């Protein structure tokens, strides 16, 4: 049966001041139809024909996509803005999650159950009689007004759960007082920071979003390694415009662009639609146009714009391309490549074959693999640059082979140690996750022959 078309359009976007929340702007003569459906799904009206989805588990993009599917199935026209699509596709996990054995879908189930408890309390369906502080978390006891069932709640925000049930409020309060008598306080606990932010996001908007335009939170200045990736394609186009000794070559499809120096001995491959945590850039140098490569460097799609800019600037200078392929990577080379990090106070560690330098805030680092350095025929990376929650959960990585020029590595180290960039404020309490293990990434093969077609 064909779904009837409804004269309504819903535009879903990120909230202008609360990055994890999602707004819906409704237009059309039958806008009241999706309006009712969204309200029933606990979207809050914040302006005329404007609703917002706010959750304490920060899963709004996921549930907004579900809402979009339901609306489309009902015959409503739905638009999802590019930045919301990016948020929907983003993979992340809670920092220091207390149940690390849970899969991503299981974590979402736990947080959705906590969201339902929060909504029941907020809507007055679950009356909280008392609360107490239990170590680092909050516990409470309350009764569902509809069923009369009393519950013992443990945890807060996205970790709140029903730990026990009782037949009556009296039984629940007696049991609660027996365990938490000294710390017991009447009524619900004070709002957490997350609950307070959610309440602010549900506040009425003075100007409807349809008129306000795509306002975004003010960008913040951060170290270069923590900056946004920005537009990598624009960086590459600016590189071509500024350096006539580099030529653009295209493959048979539009997915990849090659930048080849006029000497034919240095080449850059840019994969345009690569996943943020997959290889999007490959730089390779050759002794002659037809020889095997001397060194190779790769960077993932989420590599910050300032880091990529520093890399391209160094390649454009033409300084330090050549390297002594037969020479060993000794302590002097390693020290020269990482000197800016040492001078900036990055922590130096040695763990077997691994030598590392970690930023003072522990959110970025450089790792040198002494084993890979002495086995250049292997596919393991000798140098790995990372930033994010940890080396095993990086937001982005850059990997380089044994004979990558010391001057290039030192330039990248200087950018990591002293460079700055900007990014949009991130939602507190969560971090990006990457499907990368502790083993350094393998170096991809790079063909010695240029692509068969070109464009300027």
């Amino acid at each position: 049966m064909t779904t009837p078309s409804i004269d309504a359009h819903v535009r879903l976007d990120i909230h202008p001041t609360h990055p994890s929340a999602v707004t819906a702007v409704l237009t059309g003569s039958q806008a009241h139809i999706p309006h009712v459906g969204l309200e029933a799904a606990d979207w809050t009206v914040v302006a005329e024909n404007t609703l917002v989805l706010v959750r304490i588990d920060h899963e709004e993009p996921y549930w907004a996509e579900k809402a979009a599917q339901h609306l489309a199935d009902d015959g409503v026209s739905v638009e999802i803005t590019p930045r919301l699509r990016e948020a929907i596709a983003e993979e992340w996990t809670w920092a220091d999650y207390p149940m690390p054995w849970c899969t991503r879908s299981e974590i979402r189930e736990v947080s959705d159950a906590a969201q339902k408890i929060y909504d029941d309390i907020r809507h007055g369906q679950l009356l909280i009689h008392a609360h107490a502080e239990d170590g680092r978390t909050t516990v409470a006891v309350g009764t569902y007004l509809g069923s009369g069932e009393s519950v013992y709640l443990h945890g807060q925000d996205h970790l709140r759960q029903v730990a026990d049930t009782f037949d009556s409020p009296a039984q629940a309060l007696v049991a609660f007082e027996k365990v938490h008598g000294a710390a017991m306080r009447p009524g619900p606990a004070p709002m957490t920071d997350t609950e307070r932010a959610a309440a602010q996001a549900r506040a009425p908007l003075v100007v409807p979003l349809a008129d306000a335009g795509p306002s975004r939170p003010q960008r913040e200045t951060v170290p270069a390694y923590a900056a946004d990736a920005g537009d990598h394609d624009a960086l590459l186009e600016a590189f071509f415009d500024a350096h006539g000794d580099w030529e653009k070559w295209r493959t048979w499809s539009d997915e990849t662009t090659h930048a080849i120096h006029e000497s034919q001995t240095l080449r850059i491959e840019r994969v345009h639609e690569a996943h943020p945590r997959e290889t999007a850039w490959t730089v390779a140098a050759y002794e002659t146009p037809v020889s095997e490569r001397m060194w190779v460097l790769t960077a993932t799609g989420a590599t910050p714009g300032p880091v990529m800019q520093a890399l391209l600037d160094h390649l454009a200078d033409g300084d330090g391309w050549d390297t002594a392929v037969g020479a060993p990577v000794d302590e002097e080379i390693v020290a020269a490549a990482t000197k800016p990090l040492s001078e900036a106070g990055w922590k130096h560690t040695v763990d077997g074959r691994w030598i590392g330098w970690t930023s003072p805030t522990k959110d970025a680092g450089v790792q040198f693999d002494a084993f890979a350095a002495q086995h250049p025929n292997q596919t393991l990376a000798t140098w790995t640059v990372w930033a994010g929650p940890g080396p095993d959960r990086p937001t982005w990585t850059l990997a380089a082979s044994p004979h990558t020029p010391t001057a290039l590595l030192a330039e990248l180290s200087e950018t990591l140690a002293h460079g700055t960039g900007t990014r949009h404020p991130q939602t507190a309490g969560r971090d990006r996750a990457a499907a990368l293990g502790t083993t350094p990434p393998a170096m991809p093969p790079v063909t010695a022959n240029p692509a068969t077609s070109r464009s300027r």
Side-chain angles (χ1 to χ4, degrees):
M1 183 176 66
T2 303
T3 301
S5 178
I6 297 175
D7 183 20
H9 178 78
V10 178
R11 184 176 187 269
L12 300 177
D13 196 3
I14 297 295
H15 193 285
T17 58
H18 296 269
S20 75
V22 175
T23 59
V25 177
L26 284 57
T27 55
S29 63
Q30 294 179 294
H32 60 282
I33 296 178
H35 192 291
V36 171
L38 291 175
E39 274 200 277
D42 216 23
W43 290 62
T44 302
V45 177
V46 292
E48 184 178 0
N49 283 335
T50 302
L51 299 91
V52 64
L53 176 64
V54 185
R55 296 175 61 93
I56 58 169
D57 60 359
H58 300 308
E59 290 281 6
E60 293 96 335
Y62 172 83
W63 293 104
E65 184 182 32
K66 295 293 185 183
Q69 293 171 353
H70 289 308
L71 291 170
D73 290 343
D74 290 339
V76 176
S77 170
V78 181
E79 173 192 357
I80 301 178
T81 64
R83 60 181 178 177
L84 178 55
R85 289 194 180 279
E86 181 180 350
I88 291 172
E90 179 186 16
E91 296 179 11
W92 62 273
T93 187
W94 291 97
D96 302 322
Y97 194 75
M99 294 174 277
W101 58 85
C102 289
T103 64
R104 186 68 188 88
S105 61
E106 289 171 339
I107 290 175
R108 184 174 285 124
E109 289 178 7
V110 171
S111 64
D112 188 41
Q115 178 70 40
K116 287 181 170 60
I117 296 173
Y118 166 75
D119 289 337
D120 289 340
I121 296 173
R122 184 168 64 89
H123 294 310
Q125 298 169 0
L126 173 56
L127 177 64
I128 300 300
H129 307 303
H131 72 278
E133 296 300 320
D134 184 18
R136 295 185 177 181
T137 192
T138 301
V139 293
V141 61
T143 299
Y144 280 95
L145 300 184
S147 65
E149 181 183 52
S150 296
V151 293
Y152 171 67
L153 303 176
H154 183 276
Q156 55 192 23
D157 295 335
H158 63 289
L159 297 176
R160 183 187 280 130
Q161 56 186 310
V162 175
D164 202 354
T165 60
F166 303 89
D167 293 332
S168 70
Q171 290 181 1
L173 281 167
V174 169
F176 192 79
E177 186 174 5
K178 183 177 181 180
V179 178
H180 304 288
M184 185 173 171
R185 297 292 182 271
M191 285 196 298
T192 65
D193 291 341
T194 298
E195 291 173 337
R196 192 173 295 106
Q200 293 172 352
R202 289 192 298 269
L205 291 173
V206 177
V207 180
L209 295 186
D211 301 327
S215 173
R216 303 194 68 178
Q218 185 176 0
R219 298 180 69 87
E220 57 185 349
T221 300
V222 293
Y225 60 75
D228 287 338
D231 191 338
H232 283 191
D233 290 337
L235 283 179
L236 184 59
E237 289 302 319
F239 179 81
F240 283 124
D241 292 340
H243 306 289
D245 51 345
W246 289 80
E247 193 164 11
K248 179 193 295 185
W249 293 73
R250 301 300 292 265
T251 60
W252 59 272
S253 73
D254 292 329
E255 297 176 356
T256 305
T257 296
H258 295 266
I260 303 179
H261 188 257
E262 59 185 10
S263 67
Q264 296 283 303
T265 59
L266 189 64
R267 298 160 196 167
I268 304 171
E269 179 185 80
R270 162 70 178 149
V271 180
H272 298 287
E273 300 298 330
H275 187 276
R277 281 168 288 280
E278 293 179 351
T279 298
W281 295 83
T282 302
V283 180
Y286 305 83
E287 188 173 3
T288 69
V290 294
S291 67
E292 295 295 323
R293 70 187 183 195
M294 296 188 296
W295 56 268
V296 61
L297 177 150
T298 64
T300 57
T303 302
V307 176
M308 287 307 309
Q309 186 66 66
L311 173 61
L312 292 174
D313 287 346
H314 185 89
L315 297 176
D317 290 341
D319 179 28
W321 291 359
D322 297 330
T323 183
V325 176
V329 182
D330 55 23
E331 293 182 5
E332 183 177 350
I333 291 177
V334 173
T338 59
K339 182 179 179 181
L341 304 178
S342 300
E343 292 179 343
W346 286 39
K347 184 179 180 181
H348 181 214
T349 58
V350 178
D351 183 11
R353 61 191 267 189
W354 314 108
I355 303 175
W357 294 261
T358 308
S359 67
T361 51
K362 300 180 181 180
D363 55 352
V366 175
Q367 184 173 268
F368 174 76
D369 184 349
F371 175 83
Q374 303 305 318
H375 298 79
N377 292 327
Q378 301 291 330
T379 58
L380 293 178
T382 297
W383 296 93
T384 302
V385 182
W386 62 270
D392 58 336
R393 296 182 296 150
T395 300
W396 64 270
T397 57
L398 182 150
S401 65
H403 301 295
T404 302
T406 305
L408 173 55
L409 294 170
E411 181 73 24
L412 291 173
S413 294
E414 178 70 23
T415 302
L416 295 174
H418 302 292
T420 60
T422 63
R423 73 178 179 195
H424 288 288
Q426 298 181 345
T427 302
R430 72 180 192 181
D431 53 66
R432 297 173 184 270
L436 298 176
T438 55
T439 303
M443 303 306 298
V446 178
T447 57
N449 296 323
T452 56
S453 63
R454 62 179 180 176
S455 62
R456 291 294 292 175

